[in-house]
Amino acid sequence: MGRRSCNDRSHWSAPLRLQLRLIPFRPMTLSPPDDPLPTSARVFLDGMRNSATSAFSLVLIGTYVGVGALGHDYGFSLPWVMLSTVLIWAGPAQVILISALGTGAAAIEVALAVGLSSVRLMPMVVALLPLLKGPTTRDRELLLPAHFTAARLLPGVPRERRVAFCNGLAVGFLVFAHVGTAIGFYLAGSLPPLLTAALLFLTPISFLVSTTRNARFLVDRLALGLGLVLGPALAWAQVGLDLLWTGIVAGTVAYALHRLREVLR
């Protein structure tokens, strides 16, 4: 069997194809093969340059304006909020961290809540890392890309350049997040609370729109539809860990109905 090109998406899983579409990019700019510096540093800079052309950078700035303002309102310093961005790198989890610590919650409870919130990123990591790993890639080189899950692998990047490219892409996104954090932190006194909440809502709504656009299979539509119904219902009923239960129940039911449909065919 011939070796498939990385541009051939037909053999990629549906979740991975979804992740590749989540962030809109202009055509990627990569250093030419005969570049005098075809090193990891050059590929890393290629990734950073591509992050600057992504619409997701604007979403990140808007979201982290809200995170910065929230951190300021709860009395945290700007370096502390920025460090939480580097260590957690997930806006919803940071909102949980800041609001929970700001209201005096126990550290173990905060850690558990942040950990459960970040479990949703595990499928992305599982889908991403095999495509990053090449014949000479060492396991320790995958630690940073695993943390920077927001750096989706793009088609057209040679396998040997993917780790450095994705690291550069993620660092570029991180820089834009810090820019938004600083803006929100220093404008916190003048930002209306409703605007701060709306900015924090940018990231989840962008993911929801992208997921809806890319739900092309019945199982995807079932999971999405059930989640949209169950989520608000469980939140209204004040069920603990409502988001976690929404994902588990909606995903399981959708998968079971999909398998049943396949059997009955």
Side-chain angles (χ1 to χ4, degrees), residues 118-131:
S118 300
V119 166
R120 73 190 191 281
L121 301 176
M122 189 187 307
M124 301 183 197
V125 176
V126 173
L128 174 68
L129 294 189
L131 292 179

Side-chain angles (χ1 to χ4, degrees), residues 6-180:
C6 60
N7 286 318
D8 179 12
R9 302 189 186 188
S10 62
H11 64 290
W12 292 358
S13 64
L16 180 58
R17 290 199 301 272
L18 171 61
Q19 294 308 320
L20 296 180
R21 298 189 185 102
L22 281 179
I23 303 177
F25 283 89
R26 296 176 185 174
M28 286 185 301
T29 55
L30 296 175
S31 301
D34 58 349
D35 189 283
L37 291 175
T39 62
S40 294
R42 172 62 63 185
V43 179
F44 182 88
L45 291 176
D46 286 340
M48 290 194 68
R49 185 165 61 251
N50 277 271
S51 71
T53 65
S54 170
F56 189 64
S57 296
L58 299 178
V59 174
L60 280 173
I61 291 175
T63 298
Y64 278 87
V65 166
V67 171
L70 187 68
H72 178 277
D73 290 345
Y74 275 107
F76 294 101
S77 67
L78 180 60
W80 187 95
V81 178
M82 287 185 166
L83 181 61
S84 73
T85 299
V86 174
L87 296 178
I88 297 177
W89 193 219
Q94 282 178 261
V95 172
I96 294 172
L97 176 73
I98 293 171
S99 57
L101 289 179
T103 54
I108 185 63
E109 295 177 357
V110 176
L112 180 61
V114 170
L116 289 173
S117 170
S118 300
V119 166
R120 73 190 191 281
L121 301 176
M122 189 187 307
M124 301 183 197
V125 176
V126 173
L128 174 68
L129 294 189
L131 292 179
L132 283 178
K133 190 170 184 178
T136 61
T137 305
R138 291 166 291 188
D139 289 343
R140 65 174 179 269
E141 295 176 359
L142 298 175
L143 293 177
L144 196 57
H147 176 61
F148 283 143
T149 314
R152 272 66 172 185
L153 182 65
L154 299 178
V157 179
R159 186 174 290 273
E160 66 275 9
R161 305 175 77 179
R162 291 176 183 176
V163 172
F165 184 88
C166 283
N167 285 341
L169 187 67
V171 169
F173 286 147
L174 194 62
V175 169
F176 284 109
H178 282 327
V179 169

Side-chain angles (χ1 to χ4, degrees), residues 118-261:
S118 300
V119 166
R120 73 190 191 281
L121 301 176
M122 189 187 307
M124 301 183 197
V125 176
V126 173
L128 174 68
L129 294 189
L131 292 179
L132 283 178
K133 190 170 184 178
T136 61
T137 305
R138 291 166 291 188
D139 289 343
R140 65 174 179 269
E141 295 176 359
L142 298 175
L143 293 177
L144 196 57
H147 176 61
F148 283 143
T149 314
R152 272 66 172 185
L153 182 65
L154 299 178
V157 179
R159 186 174 290 273
E160 66 275 9
R161 305 175 77 179
R162 291 176 183 176
V163 172
F165 184 88
C166 283
N167 285 341
L169 187 67
V171 169
F173 286 147
L174 194 62
V175 169
F176 284 109
H178 282 327
V179 169
T181 300
I183 293 173
F185 189 89
Y186 288 114
L187 292 180
S190 57
L191 285 177
L194 184 59
L195 176 58
T196 301
L199 290 171
L200 289 171
F201 195 60
L202 277 176
T203 294
I205 197 63
S206 67
F207 274 86
L208 177 61
V209 171
S210 298
T211 303
T212 303
R213 183 188 66 184
N214 293 289
R216 301 182 180 183
F217 299 99
L218 179 61
V219 62
D220 300 328
R221 294 170 184 157
L222 282 173
L224 179 61
L226 288 171
L228 291 174
V229 173
L230 277 176
L234 294 178
W236 178 79
Q238 298 184 346
V239 175
L241 303 176
D242 53 282
L243 184 60
L244 178 65
W245 283 116
T246 298
I248 292 175
V249 174
T252 301
V253 171
Y255 180 74
L257 292 176
H258 169 72
R259 293 293 296 177
L260 179 61
R261 181 170 175 262

